[in-house]
Amino acid sequence: MGAAFLASWPWDNLGFYKYVLYGPLVGKAAASRAWEAASPDRWVLFLLVLFGLRALTYQLWSSFSNMLFATRRRRVVRDGVDFEQIDREWDWDNFLILQVLMAATALYAFPSLRHLPLWDAGGFAVALLAHVAATEPLFYAAHRAFHASGRLYARYHSLHHSSKVPQPFTAGLATPLESMVLGALMALPLAAACAAGCGSVALAFGYALAFDALRAMGHCNVEVFPSKPFHAIPVLRYLIYTPTYHAIHHTKREANFCLFMPLFDLLGGTLDARSWEMQEQTSAGVDEVPDFVFLAHVVDVMQSLHVPFVLRTFASTPFSVQLFLLPMWPFAFLVMLAMWVWSKTFVISCYNLRGRLHQMWAVPRYGFQYFLPFAKDGINKQIELAILRADKMGVKVLSLAALNKNEALNGGGTLFVNKHPDLRVRVVHGNTLTAAVILNEIPKGTSEVFMTGATSKLGRAIALYLCKKRVRVMMMTLSTERFQKIQKEAPAEFQQYLVQVTKYRSAQHCRTWIVGKWLSPREQRWAPPGTHFHQFVVPPIIGFRRDCTYGKLAAMRLPKDVQGLGNCEYSLERGVVHACHAGGVVHFLEGYAHHEVGAIDVDRIDVVWEAALRHGLRPA
C-alpha cells in the first residue's frame, strides 16, 4: 500500500535546506526594497516578519516549558522528553513553511489584500465573532473526525499523538493535510474581516500570533492558570482551555477535542468530567523529590547555551561551538554576570531510571571562576547550600561534577562531610569509577605507561593500581617529595614499578600515555608514533598529532532502560555521561551507605567497575 495522500512533507529529505523555500519571498522583498514605505511590495516584508514572529512564539513557549527550575512543580505530564520525541519534532516548523506559501498564494490571488490599512478596530470584533462561530466548531468537527475514523487517525493524526509528553513544538507535529486544514480554519476570521471591509495588518499580526500563543500554551505541559478564577467565574471553564485540559486529550484520546474553547466539548458531549479537578491539582503545584542529583557547573559562556530551555534541539546534540550561537553571546555574557550576583543552584534537566527520578542541578558558576582566589568561598557556599537542600528534600545521593569536587577547592567534598557529619544524603565525587574507566581503556598486556598529573587524587590512584598490576609507571611529577609520598603508599613489593622521570623525552619509546596535566604541542611531540593519549585532564588536550590517537574524558553509557533523557552532557554523545556522573548513579543503585569523598580507595576500583557493568552501564 502506498503512502497516504498528503501524509508526508515533500521537502522531508532537504534537511536545513528546506528554508530555501522562503527564498522567493526573501528575494522579492530585497529586489523591491520592501522595507521602504513607498514600496508596492511591503506585504512581502510583513509576511516574512509575521512568520518569523510566529516561529519565535513557539520557541519562547518551548524555553518556558523546559525551565524546570521554574515550572517543575506545575508540569502536567511528569516524564522527561526523550531523544526520540525531540527527533520526531525536529521539523516542527514545517507547517509554517506551508502556511506562508498558502498566505502568499492568497495575496497573489486577491491583490487588494496587499494594501490593507495598518489598523482598523472593527476588524477585531468581526474576527472574534467568526472565530467563535466558524473556526472553533469546524476545528472541533475536523479534529473529532480524525479520531473517529481509524483510517484517518492511523494515516494522519497518530503522528501528532506519537509524542508522549506534550510540548509547544508538538503543536506543529502534524501531516501536510492537517496543517492545510488548520491553516484554512485559521484564515477564516481574517477573510471575514477583509470581506466586511475592516481587515488590517494589525489584525493579521494580532490574530495569528494570539492563535499560535494559545496553541503553544495548550501543549506546553505546564499549568499556567490558577484555579481561583475558574471558581469565581465558572463560565470561564468553557471559554478558554488550559494545558491540563489539553494534556488530558493526549492521554485520553476520546475527550477534550476543542481548539481553544471547551464549550464545544460540552455541546458535543466529549468534555472529560475530571478536567477541572485535575487542573486544580496541577496548578496547586507538587514538587517531585529526586533520588539522585548530579551537581554540575557551567563550563563557559558558549556552553551555557547548551541547555534545553535555550534551544532544545541544540541541547540534544553533543556540544560544539556553532556560528548561530555567536549573536547570542552578548546576551549569554550578561546572564553570566547576573548569575554571579544573584543566582543560586537550579535544576537543568531530569530523567528516570528504573522508576527513580534523577535530576541534574547546576551551580551558577563558570569554569574560569573556580580559579579566582576570591571566588572560592562563594562557590563552596553554593555547593554547601545545594547539599543541604538535597538533604532536606530526601535525596539519596548527590554526585559532584568536575570542578565542584576540586581538591584545592573543598578536598573532593571532604569539607562538606566534615562540616555536616549528620548528612543523610550521600556525597559522592565519582572518581573511583572515573579511575576504573581510564584503567579499563588501557589494552590488556600493557607493561609500561607514561603518566602526567600523577600527583593529583585521580592520578595517584591510577598509578598505585597499575603498579599493583605490575605495570611500570613512569611518572612526570613536580617534585621528588611528591613522588616519594606516592611511592610510600604503594605496597613495598610493588614500589619498584613506580619510576620518576623529569623529561618528556624519557617516554619516547612508550605508546601509552595517561594525561592528567595539559600537554603543549611541543610536549606531545615527544610521544612516539602510534601513541594513544588517555585523558583525565579538564579541559581535554588538543590533538596536534595526526599519527597518534586521543581518548575523550572518562565516560559511560547509561543503561538502556533510561527514560526521558533528552539532552547531551557537554560534548558527549547521546546517552553518555561523565564517569563521575555514572559513579554517582552506581553509588545510588548499589545503595552504598558511605560518602565517597577525599582520596580514592584503590581497593574499591574493581568493585565499583563490576557494579557498574552489573547495572547495565557500559564504556562509552
Side-chain angles (χ1 to χ4, degrees):
M1 181 182 295
F5 177 65
L6 290 178
S8 61
W9 296 94
W11 52 79
D12 265 344
N13 296 326
L14 294 181
F16 178 80
Y17 294 104
K18 69 182 182 180
Y19 296 112
V20 172
L21 294 169
Y22 285 106
L25 291 173
V26 174
K28 186 172 181 62
S32 63
R33 303 177 68 87
W35 53 87
E36 294 181 353
S39 173
D41 293 318
R42 291 195 74 194
W43 65 272
V44 180
L45 181 62
F46 286 147
L47 198 59
L48 290 172
V49 170
L50 173 59
F51 276 80
L53 291 174
R54 293 185 67 188
L56 179 62
T57 297
Y58 286 94
Q59 174 56 54
L60 292 176
W61 274 102
S62 176
S63 294
F64 168 74
S65 177
N66 286 284
M67 289 178 177
L68 296 187
F69 55 88
T71 64
R72 68 185 184 278
R73 292 182 177 87
R74 291 175 285 114
R75 293 169 70 216
V76 186
V77 179
R78 294 297 179 119
D79 298 331
V81 181
D82 58 23
F83 293 117
E84 183 180 352
Q85 178 172 336
I86 292 172
D87 288 344
R88 192 184 302 112
E89 296 175 355
W90 197 279
D91 292 311
W92 64 272
D93 60 343
N94 277 341
F95 80 101
L96 291 176
I97 297 177
L98 174 64
Q99 290 178 5
V100 78
L101 296 177
M102 291 171 63
T105 301
L107 288 165
Y108 268 105
F110 302 97
S112 61
L113 297 179
R114 305 180 205 170
H115 307 289
L116 293 175
L118 291 179
W119 175 264
D120 190 322
F124 288 88
V126 173
L128 178 60
L129 180 62
H131 176 87
V132 175
T135 299
E136 286 281 352
L138 289 174
F139 177 89
Y140 175 83
H143 192 185
R144 191 168 179 181
F146 273 110
H147 278 268
S149 170
R151 180 170 296 184
L152 284 177
Y153 183 83
R155 293 185 175 183
Y156 298 99
H157 199 50
S158 60
L159 174 66
H160 182 70
H161 280 274
S162 62
S163 292
K164 298 177 182 178
V165 183
Q167 290 281 284
F169 292 156
T170 308
L173 182 64
T175 60
L177 177 62
E178 294 172 285
S179 298
M180 289 178 69
V181 171
L182 183 66
L185 294 176
M186 186 178 175
L188 280 177
L190 299 177
C194 291
C198 49
S200 66
V201 174
L203 174 62
F205 272 72
Y207 180 75
L209 294 178
F211 194 99
D212 287 322
L214 287 173
R215 288 198 76 218
M217 180 271 290
H219 287 85
C220 76
N221 195 41
V222 178
E223 187 49 69
V224 297
F225 289 98
S227 60
K228 288 184 178 179
F230 295 107
H231 285 292
I233 311 173
V235 71
L236 287 178
R237 298 179 178 183
Y238 307 107
L239 298 181
I240 184 67
Y241 77 160
T242 69
T244 302
Y245 186 93
H246 191 69
I248 292 172
H249 171 70
H250 275 261
T251 55
K252 187 177 179 181
R253 297 172 186 170
E254 67 274 12
N256 296 9
F257 294 102
C258 77
L259 178 57
F260 306 135
M261 299 177 65
L263 170 66
F264 293 93
D265 278 309
L266 178 66
L267 298 175
T270 54
L271 195 156
D272 187 280
R274 296 190 63 244
S275 295
W276 303 108
E277 177 186 344
M278 292 180 63
Q279 191 275 337
E280 185 173 4
Q281 293 173 353
T282 308
S283 65
V286 177
D287 198 4
E288 289 183 308
V289 177
D291 290 283
F292 168 76
V293 167
F294 180 57
L295 188 61
H297 62 80
V298 189
V299 177
D300 53 38
V301 174
M302 281 296 194
Q303 187 271 333
S304 69
L305 301 172
H306 190 246
V307 287
F309 56 82
V310 176
L311 294 169
R312 191 185 73 171
T313 50
F314 177 55
S316 72
T317 59
F319 174 77
S320 61
V321 177
Q322 303 289 338
L323 287 177
F324 70 84
L325 296 177
L326 296 179
M328 303 171 68
W329 191 92
F331 175 74
F333 181 79
L334 293 177
V335 171
M336 179 199 71
L337 297 178
M339 289 174 61
W340 200 349
V341 176
W342 292 296
S343 185
K344 61 182 180 180
T345 301
F346 59 96
V347 183
I348 295 178
S349 61
C350 67
Y351 62 87
N352 282 274
L353 183 60
R354 293 163 198 173
R356 301 290 187 173
L357 178 63
H358 293 209
Q359 288 182 347
M360 178 184 288
W361 297 359
V363 174
R365 294 295 181 269
Y366 291 62
F368 78 91
Q369 295 170 337
Y370 284 77
F371 300 98
L372 301 176
F374 62 84
K376 177 179 177 180
D377 291 340
I379 292 173
N380 276 331
K381 187 64 176 178
Q382 290 275 354
I383 298 171
E384 181 182 5
L385 290 175
I387 292 172
L388 294 177
R389 174 188 168 197
D391 188 64
K392 184 178 180 180
M393 291 174 65
V395 176
K396 304 295 190 303
V397 173
L398 183 143
S399 182
L400 301 172
L403 298 175
N404 285 333
K405 60 187 175 189
N406 187 284
E407 197 73 18
L409 183 69
N410 51 47
T414 306
L415 172 69
F416 311 114
V417 172
N418 290 342
K419 187 175 181 180
H420 303 282
D422 297 326
L423 286 174
R424 293 170 299 171
V425 62
R426 303 294 93 178
V427 180
V428 176
H429 56 45
N431 282 339
T432 308
L433 186 57
T434 302
V437 171
I438 296 170
L439 289 165
N440 280 277
E441 287 178 353
I442 299 173
K444 301 295 182 184
T446 298
S447 60
E448 184 178 63
V449 301
F450 176 74
M451 187 172 183
T452 68
T455 56
S456 67
K457 174 174 56 183
L458 191 53
R460 185 167 60 247
I462 292 172
L464 293 175
Y465 181 95
L466 287 172
C467 80
K468 285 187 176 183
K469 297 295 183 180
R470 293 181 168 81
V471 176
R472 185 169 181 262
V473 182
M474 292 183 290
M475 305 171 64
M476 177 67 74
T477 60
L478 297 176
S479 65
T480 301
E481 290 76 18
R482 289 192 177 187
F483 170 74
Q484 291 175 344
K485 182 179 179 181
I486 297 174
Q487 195 175 39
K488 288 179 182 179
E489 294 179 26
E493 64 271 27
F494 299 127
Q495 290 181 3
Q496 60 182 308
Y497 293 99
L498 298 175
V499 180
Q500 183 183 23
V501 298
T502 57
K503 295 182 178 181
Y504 285 96
R505 69 179 62 187
S506 304
Q508 279 184 303
H509 64 284
C510 182
R511 287 186 169 84
T512 301
W513 283 39
I514 302 176
V515 182
K517 174 182 172 293
W518 179 261
L519 294 181
S520 67
R522 179 175 177 276
E523 291 165 337
Q524 292 181 38
R525 196 164 58 243
W526 292 111
T531 295
H532 182 76
F533 294 91
H534 303 269
Q535 303 190 59
F536 63 93
V537 58
V538 179
I541 62 174
I542 299 174
F544 293 101
R545 296 278 301 273
R546 292 188 176 183
D547 57 348
C548 298
T549 54
Y550 295 80
K552 296 181 179 180
L553 292 178
M556 295 201 79
R557 188 173 298 278
L558 290 173
K560 293 181 180 180
D561 55 340
V562 65
Q563 297 176 321
L565 181 65
N567 62 290
C568 290
E569 194 163 293
Y570 196 34
S571 59
L572 301 179
E573 297 176 4
R574 289 180 169 187
V576 176
V577 298
H578 290 99
C580 53
H581 183 158
V585 172
V586 172
H587 204 94
F588 168 69
L589 293 175
E590 281 289 290
Y592 293 144
H594 64 279
H595 297 289
E596 183 187 303
V597 294
I600 297 172
D601 185 347
V602 178
D603 294 330
R604 288 193 57 81
I605 290 176
D606 287 335
V607 174
V608 173
W609 176 253
E610 292 167 4
L613 298 181
R614 187 169 61 252
H615 284 290
L617 287 91
R618 291 291 179 266

